[in-house]
Amino acid sequence: MSPREQLASATMIATHELVVNLEKSKTAIESLIMGMQDFTCLVTAQGRVVWGNDCAALALKCDKDHLHKQQLKSLFGPADWDRFVAILRSYENSSSKPKEFQIPIKQTEEVRDFLWSVRPFQAVSNRRGTLLLLMGRDITEVLRERSKRARLEGELETAQLMQTAFLPPKNISLDRLNICSFYQAAERCSGDWWGHFNLAPHLDIICIADVTGHGAASALVTAMTQATCLSFASKAREDLKRGLEVKIEDLFRQLNIVIYDTFKGETFMTFFGMIFNTKDGVMRSCNAGHNFPLMLRGKVRESAKQEEAKGGQLKSLRWPDVLMVRGNPLGYERDARFAENMTTLQDQDRIMMYTDGIIECRNDKQRMFGASALSRVMIKYINKETEDCLDGIIQEALDHYGKVPLSDDLTMVIIDYNKG
């Protein structure tokens, strides 16, 4: 074989291998396109199908070998078809850029939302006129999910507004009580709650609660708590008019039964409640698994004022007392009993109630604020007015957390008793 013949043979072999590889690539690409979940086809500017994949054949209800006989018009309602074909025809006399648009199609009795993409297709021959590559994606479920999320967001926003409306004013000034509060939810809805209910002159209920977890389910429990407390307070006012005694432990029993019967022991709530009789200078309290409130006695606060006036240091002051009243969380067992504790109040007594988010949220070093730090800063602001004391404590806690998102809700209530 001459050199020229050898070169020709090698060229033929190489050409054959190239053609085989191209055919394999073409087959692979066609297989990929045919199996695509998106509606894919080549169409004329009048909406006649030239070629399409399996998804297009399924939508047009025909065999894929007969797609070239189909018109896209069968997919659309009259008005939608007019819009659709107007977009296709805009490519007839111009080299328009690719477009995306949303037009629904009809499938049996159901209307499906489709996002379409169209662009000019450069064919080997222009004998069919303008050809367009058309792709359509069914976005019905995406839109439904988006609608559900929007509806849920709306419901959560409504729940948040309602829950915030349950809370008393941030600052309450009574004859002998000054009450200041702070509340911040970790999510849209909170499992924290606190309440103030006046029963009679010089007789007030103040309570705080923390439902396990947070979010919409916990917010529901706080709404039930608000309703139960309102009902209890209304009945208590009538009982007091008839000369009957009102006990804080009765409120605990009612709440416990409501939560247990509703959630069958699956949801719990910690709760601390107090009835202040400011005329007699007595506070009666019960606890259902909640953090023990801290108490600075009036004598300690008076000593601190005198020491500060002399320019002395407050380090020598002992830490706040702990109102150690025990009891199981509400909803734990239906027949739970709650012990009532009595405290004789002193002039200038200060009581701080809080939820565990205050001490258990962590900073970027995974360190909690902690109960010790809470006691320390309570001493630090001992000579501040009620609102300034609350603001100072909360600011120190927030500074500790830094920019780390809160993992739990924060609620704090500070009550100052002034005998007058």
Side-chain angles (χ1 to χ4, degrees):
M1 184 180 294
S2 67
R4 179 175 295 180
E5 291 173 332
Q6 290 177 356
L7 178 60
S9 176
T11 301
M12 289 179 61
I13 293 172
T15 302
H16 176 73
E17 290 180 354
L18 179 60
V19 170
V20 169
N21 288 332
L22 286 173
E23 286 292 333
K24 288 181 179 179
S25 297
K26 177 185 174 185
T27 301
I29 292 172
E30 282 186 351
S31 177
L32 178 65
I33 294 174
M34 293 302 289
M36 286 175 60
Q37 296 300 310
D38 292 344
F39 184 111
T40 306
C41 63
L42 289 176
V43 295
T44 66
Q46 291 73 39
R48 185 174 65 80
V49 179
V50 175
W51 171 89
N53 67 351
D54 292 342
C55 184
L58 183 64
L60 289 164
K61 301 176 183 177
C62 69
D63 187 275
K64 63 183 179 182
D65 292 333
H66 299 131
L67 270 171
H68 64 282
K69 300 177 182 179
Q70 303 299 313
Q71 274 278 351
L72 293 178
K73 186 175 182 178
S74 62
L75 294 175
F76 301 92
D80 290 331
W81 169 247
D82 289 343
R83 288 172 53 212
F84 189 87
V85 77
I87 294 173
L88 299 186
R89 285 175 176 167
S90 68
Y91 286 88
E92 282 185 310
N93 300 313
S94 67
S95 55
S96 299
K97 295 180 180 179
K99 295 179 183 177
E100 283 192 351
F101 52 96
Q102 185 179 329
I103 296 179
I105 68 172
K106 297 186 302 179
Q107 286 193 329
T108 60
E109 299 298 322
E110 186 180 15
V111 175
R112 306 290 294 182
D113 288 292
F114 261 65
L115 179 65
W116 299 97
S117 172
V118 62
R119 65 182 62 206
F121 181 79
Q122 187 63 49
V124 176
S125 167
N126 62 358
R127 61 187 178 85
R128 290 193 177 98
T130 301
L131 286 183
L132 305 170
L133 176 61
L134 179 71
M135 298 184 70
R137 174 166 294 182
D138 189 339
I139 58 171
T140 307
E141 300 306 323
V142 174
L143 293 180
R144 285 177 181 172
E145 188 62 32
R146 187 181 298 170
S147 177
K148 287 180 183 177
R149 285 201 302 268
R151 186 165 60 251
L152 178 60
E153 283 292 315
E155 291 171 353
L156 286 175
E157 185 175 353
T158 301
Q160 182 187 33
L161 290 172
M162 291 179 61
Q163 189 175 29
T164 304
F166 293 157
L167 299 176
K170 293 182 179 179
N171 300 301
I172 303 173
S173 293
L174 304 174
D175 184 26
R176 297 183 179 180
L177 293 178
N178 195 36
I179 309 165
C180 291
S181 66
F182 174 85
Y183 165 85
Q184 183 172 333
E187 296 182 356
R188 296 290 292 274
C189 295
S190 167
D192 280 11
W193 171 89
W194 82 278
H196 167 254
F197 306 91
N198 178 255
L199 305 183
H202 307 298
L203 200 63
D204 295 86
I205 292 178
I206 301 175
C207 40
I208 191 168
D210 187 358
V211 184
T212 50
H214 39 264
S218 298
L220 172 62
V221 183
T222 64
M224 293 168 57
T225 303
Q226 172 78 5
T228 303
C229 287
L230 284 171
S231 175
F232 177 86
S234 178
K235 182 178 183 301
R237 294 184 192 104
E238 297 301 319
D239 290 345
L240 289 167
K241 290 177 182 178
R242 295 198 298 267
L244 300 176
E245 183 182 8
V246 175
K247 295 183 177 181
I248 189 67
E249 61 187 271
D250 293 336
L251 172 60
F252 276 65
R253 280 196 289 268
Q254 282 189 29
L255 281 168
N256 183 63
I257 290 172
V258 168
I259 294 174
Y260 184 88
D261 287 353
T262 302
F263 298 100
K264 310 303 180 189
E266 296 295 325
T267 295
F268 310 120
M269 181 176 75
T270 65
F271 192 84
F272 196 98
M274 301 174 283
I275 290 183
F276 283 86
N277 186 331
T278 55
K279 183 179 180 181
D280 297 338
V282 172
M283 177 188 72
R284 297 182 182 275
S285 57
C286 279
N287 191 17
H290 199 78
N291 302 299
F292 301 138
L294 301 180
M295 185 174 188
L296 281 171
R297 301 303 306 216
K299 291 180 180 179
V300 177
R301 294 189 67 204
E302 182 60 33
S303 297
K305 287 180 181 179
Q306 294 174 4
E307 198 168 333
E308 187 176 52
K310 295 175 183 178
Q313 299 292 320
L314 300 181
K315 293 181 180 179
S316 60
L317 293 176
R318 68 177 188 179
W319 281 20
D321 294 337
V322 177
L323 291 177
M324 198 172 293
V325 187
R326 300 186 184 279
N328 288 331
L330 301 179
Y332 186 75
E333 55 182 356
R334 197 177 194 278
D335 299 324
R337 295 182 178 275
F338 303 95
E340 187 175 280
N341 183 66
M342 187 185 80
T343 304
T344 301
L345 297 171
Q346 300 175 5
D347 186 34
Q348 298 185 57
D349 276 351
R350 171 169 288 171
I351 300 169
M352 180 172 68
M353 310 164 70
Y354 61 95
T355 56
D356 54 15
I358 295 286
I359 58 175
E360 293 182 1
C361 286
R362 299 174 184 269
N363 61 15
D364 56 356
K365 296 180 181 178
Q366 291 300 300
R367 292 178 182 171
M368 295 189 295
F369 187 60
S372 296
L374 186 60
S375 295
R376 175 178 54 78
V377 295
M378 189 178 185
I379 289 290
K380 179 178 177 180
Y381 297 101
I382 190 172
N383 290 330
K384 298 291 185 181
E385 296 297 326
T386 320
E387 186 175 359
D388 294 334
C389 174
L390 176 76
D391 291 344
I393 293 171
I394 291 299
Q395 190 58 56
E396 295 219 16
L398 294 176
D399 288 345
H400 173 82
Y401 309 143
K403 296 182 180 180
V404 176
L406 296 175
S407 59
D408 201 356
D409 311 312
L410 308 180
T411 304
M412 180 177 286
V413 182
I414 293 183
I415 307 149
D416 279 354
Y417 170 71
N418 300 298
K419 193 171 183 180

